[in-house]
Amino acid sequence: MKKIVQVNSKKELGTFIDFPHDLYKDDPNYVPELFIAQRDLLTKHPFHKHNELQCFLAYDGDKVTGRIAAILNNAHNEHNKRNDGFWGFFDCINDQETANMLFDTATKWLKDKGVDQKSIGPVNFSTNEACGLLIKGFDSPPMLMMTYNYPYYANFIEKYGFEKQMDLIAWHWDGDGYDDKSIRLLGALQERLKRNNIVIRKVDLKNFKSEVEKVREVYNSAWDQNSGFVPFTDAEFDWLAKDLKLILDENFVYVAEQNNKIVGFGLALPNYNEIFKKIKRGRLLPTGIFKLLLGKKNIQSIRIYALGVIDGYRKMGIEACLYGSIIKEYRERGLKHAEAGWTLENNVLINEAIKAIKGDPYKTYRLYEKDI
């Protein structure tokens, strides 16, 4: 008998987190999330102070067949003057009825919370976290902090009545695939910026707290006009910064600064998914921690996680300098793969800039919406 169960206990939460490991056990491109990170995201993240989330599990008899989280993101609704609801953490066996039951349950929960406009997903809280359904690019594993799913998910979602809201594009380069023009022009562009007292420098990890405060202001300003954007609270950005500090490489983090004011930044992360892929069921103990510690020096790819410049400083060459600085380091290390992602499909300025340095739009993720 098929049924939906609300996740209330620690044991049920563990089942919720672990379900994808069994669902994708035969998929060579699946990368397990770290259990401790998912548990903390779902229970301790500052998001929960001002918003609400409820997880659900689908069963067929005693067997788990799917999962979903219904999400009330008050910050999104306040910032965008909306009354929308969200769903995320969706995974399901290849069965439309089960998918429908999960969407029905999430929709009812959102309605009971007073949501009366759109249901949007998949997002794992907001577009500040992992989001989007993979619809193109199933032939390689996801990069760090990107989603992954079976191709049949799109059919389930569309048959239920969801329609495309926006596509998100991930861009790829192989080894030396970057256009050298970005590196060749780097010195000249930096000299031009210096005439306006703008310098490009690496992030200062010794003053990390101060750097984070400045970068947070840039992030919330630079991305403010993006569709569905939700500003980070101080606590949320500090949470993200604390997590990223554990894995970032200062040689891949650059800021643009004018008179001690940060006006732009670019951040690329080592692709730790190369290691996570080898950590069984996302457990660091007893052996996963050693794979993590010993494997990081062998990582061969990066993901350009974020790159933005505040209004008033765009089209001055800052973006090209940030990209160029990251590319230079990438090339000098002889790394094999790089991804920039994601970008909104309608962000013509940044997409054309990426095309100009030979970026290949190799993966597409889709956000869906449906009237409630």
Side-chain angles (χ1 to χ4, degrees):
M1 180 179 177
K2 295 179 180 180
K3 62 180 179 180
I4 303 293
V5 174
Q6 184 169 299
V7 172
N8 294 319
S9 69
K10 184 177 179 180
K11 181 179 179 181
E12 289 168 338
L13 181 63
T15 301
F16 183 91
I17 295 171
D18 281 342
F19 172 65
H21 306 327
D22 297 317
L23 184 67
Y24 293 96
K25 68 178 188 288
D26 297 322
D27 189 325
N29 291 321
Y30 171 67
V31 179
E33 297 280 2
L34 293 183
F35 181 87
I36 188 172
Q38 286 289 282
R39 183 197 65 195
D40 289 353
L41 181 67
L42 289 164
T43 59
K44 298 180 180 180
H45 192 280
F47 172 88
H48 302 287
K49 294 180 180 179
H50 309 288
N51 308 287
E52 295 182 66
L53 173 146
Q54 181 59 58
C55 298
F56 299 94
L57 286 165
Y59 282 86
D60 190 348
D62 295 329
K63 183 179 180 182
V64 180
T65 55
R67 69 173 193 169
I68 199 168
I71 302 163
L72 181 61
N73 191 327
N74 293 313
H76 168 275
N77 286 337
E78 291 169 11
H79 182 75
N80 293 285
K81 297 179 174 54
R82 298 286 303 172
N83 189 20
D84 299 325
F86 296 84
W87 53 271
F89 301 92
F90 172 76
D91 285 291
C92 184
I93 63 169
N94 196 351
D95 179 67
Q96 182 75 51
E97 183 183 2
T98 300
N100 289 350
M101 290 172 64
L102 288 165
F103 290 132
D104 283 345
T105 302
T107 301
K108 182 180 184 305
W109 186 89
L110 291 171
K111 283 183 176 179
D112 289 345
K113 293 294 179 180
V115 172
D116 60 8
Q117 290 190 300
K118 300 280 188 181
S119 173
I120 302 168
V123 297
N124 296 350
F125 292 173
S126 75
T127 54
N128 290 328
E129 290 80 31
C131 63
L133 188 85
L134 181 65
I135 62 169
K136 173 196 167 187
F138 295 94
D139 56 346
S140 60
M143 287 276 191
L144 182 70
M145 300 168 70
M146 297 293 278
T147 62
Y148 183 75
N149 52 264
Y150 280 126
Y152 62 76
Y153 282 24
N155 192 44
F156 288 167
I157 292 167
E158 290 165 12
K159 279 191 174 180
Y160 188 78
F162 283 96
E163 297 178 344
K164 171 185 170 181
Q165 182 195 68
M166 179 72 69
D167 279 353
L168 317 173
I169 303 171
W171 306 81
H172 179 257
W173 294 263
D174 279 318
D176 60 355
Y178 275 115
D179 187 350
D180 283 330
K181 181 179 179 182
S182 302
I183 299 175
R184 291 198 308 270
L185 293 177
L186 188 57
L189 286 172
Q190 287 179 321
E191 285 300 316
R192 190 172 73 183
L193 290 174
K194 283 180 182 178
R195 291 198 286 272
N196 290 308
N197 295 320
I198 298 172
V199 296
I200 307 295
R201 64 169 176 83
K202 294 178 183 178
V203 71
D204 183 2
L205 291 181
K206 292 181 180 178
N207 294 299
F208 188 70
K209 185 177 179 180
S210 173
E211 297 278 66
V212 166
E213 290 174 358
K214 295 175 184 177
V215 168
R216 178 176 60 237
E217 294 176 13
V218 174
Y219 183 93
N220 283 340
S221 174
W223 275 265
D224 185 60
Q225 299 304 313
N226 281 359
S227 175
F229 175 75
V230 183
F232 274 109
T233 65
D234 290 356
E236 287 171 344
F237 201 84
D238 288 345
W239 177 285
L240 175 64
K242 183 182 71 174
D243 279 355
L244 293 183
K245 189 179 181 183
L246 296 173
I247 62 173
L248 64 78
D249 180 330
E250 63 180 334
N251 295 303
F252 284 120
V253 191
Y254 292 87
V255 297
E257 189 174 60
Q258 183 185 56
N259 302 325
N260 204 38
K261 173 188 175 184
I262 293 180
V263 297
F265 77 99
L267 165 62
L269 297 169
N271 181 29
Y272 273 77
N273 272 11
E274 292 181 27
I275 304 173
F276 296 161
K277 196 172 186 297
K278 303 171 185 177
I279 298 178
K280 189 175 181 181
R281 300 181 76 81
R283 298 312 200 269
L284 288 177
L285 298 176
T287 61
I289 186 69
F290 298 107
K291 292 178 181 178
L292 184 59
L293 294 174
L294 297 173
K296 60 183 182 181
K297 66 179 181 297
N298 296 318
I299 291 174
Q300 293 296 305
S301 56
I302 60 168
R303 178 190 166 203
I304 300 176
Y305 172 72
L307 192 146
V309 177
I310 63 174
D311 194 26
Y313 290 85
R314 294 166 188 158
K315 298 183 180 180
M316 295 176 65
I318 295 174
E319 295 92 340
C321 284
L322 293 171
Y323 266 118
S325 298
I326 292 171
I327 293 167
K328 186 172 183 288
E329 181 68 23
Y330 167 85
R331 291 288 294 275
E332 288 177 354
R333 292 198 190 186
L335 300 183
K336 294 181 179 179
H337 303 285
E339 176 181 295
W342 44 263
T343 65
L344 295 171
E345 64 175 335
N346 62 0
N347 190 339
V348 177
L349 182 65
I350 193 68
N351 291 340
E352 290 301 317
I354 293 174
K355 287 178 185 177
I357 55 173
K358 310 302 182 185
D360 170 34
Y362 83 128
K363 290 183 186 286
T364 303
Y365 301 81
R366 180 163 292 174
L367 292 173
Y368 287 91
E369 64 180 19
K370 183 178 187 295
D371 289 332
I372 288 185

